[in-house]
Amino acid sequence: MTVTTNGKKIEVSGEISVSKLLEEAKVEMPEYVSVQLNDEMILRANFDTTLVKEGAVVEFLYYMGGGGRC
């Protein structure tokens, strides 16, 4: 099945959980990533139970802090 992750179409084997998608997509530092699935933020506690289906649009987001002005 085809899903779009961060603007790129990838092939995955059938419906999979968000956790498995993070593995298959080889996401760096998955413990720090937030996931948006079809414009909806997914709670980390639900990564194992939320299924990614055909045609889904997934964004892997990293929040970064910035420095202040000196």
Side-chain angles (χ1 to χ4, degrees), residues 1 4 9 15 17 31 34 39 48 50-52 60 70:
M1 107 179 150
T4 303
K9 292 192 184 285
E15 290 183 1
S17 68
E31 64 275 12
S34 295
D39 295 324
D48 289 337
T50 301
L51 294 179
V52 178
F60 302 128
C70 295

Side-chain angles (χ1 to χ4, degrees), residues 5-40:
T5 60
N6 289 11
K8 296 179 183 177
K9 292 192 184 285
I10 64 169
E11 291 292 323
V12 294
S13 55
E15 290 183 1
I16 60 173
S17 68
V18 170
S19 294
K20 288 289 183 189
L21 181 61
L22 288 167
E23 289 175 23
E24 284 199 24
K26 297 180 179 144
V27 170
E28 292 183 32
M29 299 186 302
E31 64 275 12
Y32 296 114
V33 73
S34 295
V35 176
Q36 184 177 354
L37 174 61
N38 297 325
D39 295 324
E40 185 176 324

Side-chain angles (χ1 to χ4, degrees), residues 55-70:
V57 177
V58 183
E59 297 292 329
F60 302 128
L61 307 167
Y62 294 91
Y63 293 100
M64 304 183 109
R69 295 178 101 185
C70 295

